[in-house]
Amino acid sequence: MYRVRVRSVPPVVLALRRFPNPRLTGIGAGLFASLTMFVLACVDRLLFDSSELVFGLLFLPVSALTALWVRPADLVTAPISVPIAFAVGVFPISGGSEGLGGQIMGLVTTLAVHAGWLYGGTLIAGLIASVRKVRQMRARRRYVLAQGRGGTPASERAPRAASAAAAAKPVRAGAGGAGGAAGAVARRPQRP
């Protein structure tokens, strides 16, 4: 007799499954992160007197959520949009003197002094996006292998592929474009 082993799901995983799981586009994830960091910076300025520590600590979960909520097709945008969100969010708490030049100098100084938080959040977003991409590639490979095993036999797939290639539109002599050198080999010579 075979025993079926049932794995119990930890309560933490069950609690996490109840949270929302939106799928944002790359631009949507960038806007989410930027607006969230700007609002958090304004709250930080009002409640904590522009504490960079509080801002940095709040930046890390926003980075993780951005990488978790971006859709699989736009995973590469998560580590790109997170530093932009940090720069947008740090503007209200950067200080600086009067005038545009003083504000820009305060922003640059704050970005340079607190680069550790910036690198940490970007690293978190990059790691989460990389893990999600690897899992997606593994799932796709399993799906392709399952389709190869459970689908039509190889002896039936080969004639279909050959007939599809034969049904392709022939390339005219002298026609450029996608045919290229491969099309030149496949063409018949013209009779005079």
Side-chain angles (χ1 to χ4, degrees), residues 39-55:
V39 168
L40 289 175
C42 291
V43 169
D44 179 26
R45 184 174 181 171
L46 291 174
L47 298 179
F48 301 106
D49 197 30
S50 301
S51 171
E52 284 90 6
L53 176 67
V54 172
F55 180 77

Side-chain angles (χ1 to χ4, degrees), residues 134-144:
V134 168
R135 290 183 68 194
Q136 177 188 9
M137 289 169 37
R138 285 183 181 167
R140 185 180 302 146
R141 186 176 350 164
R142 272 186 259 134
Y143 175 76
V144 168

Side-chain angles (χ1 to χ4, degrees), residues 159-170:
R160 272 192 227 154
S163 65
K169 187 176 179 181

Side-chain angles (χ1 to χ4, degrees), residues 3 13 26-27 32 45 49 75-76 87 95 101 105-106 108-110 112 118 129 140 144 150 165 170 178:
R3 283 189 184 179
V13 174
I27 294 173
F32 161 75
R45 184 174 181 171
D49 197 30
L75 279 173
V76 72
M105 283 304 297
V108 170
T109 303
T110 305
L118 176 64
R140 185 180 302 146
V144 168

Side-chain angles (χ1 to χ4, degrees), residues 41-112:
C42 291
V43 169
D44 179 26
R45 184 174 181 171
L46 291 174
L47 298 179
F48 301 106
D49 197 30
S50 301
S51 171
E52 284 90 6
L53 176 67
V54 172
F55 180 77
L57 287 174
L58 291 173
F59 175 65
L60 299 179
V62 170
S63 300
L65 286 177
T66 302
L68 286 172
W69 286 352
V70 71
R71 66 183 184 170
D74 295 329
L75 279 173
V76 72
T77 62
I80 296 169
S81 60
V82 167
I84 296 170
F86 186 86
V88 167
V90 83
F91 186 72
I93 63 170
S94 63
S97 60
E98 297 294 324
L100 181 65
Q103 292 292 330
I104 291 175
M105 283 304 297
L107 178 68
V108 170
T109 303
T110 305
L111 287 173

Side-chain angles (χ1 to χ4, degrees), residues 6-23:
V6 178
R7 293 169 54 178
S8 63
V9 180
V12 174
V13 174
L14 291 174
L16 288 175
R17 286 183 182 168
R18 285 187 289 237
F19 281 106
N21 192 16
R23 288 293 169 227

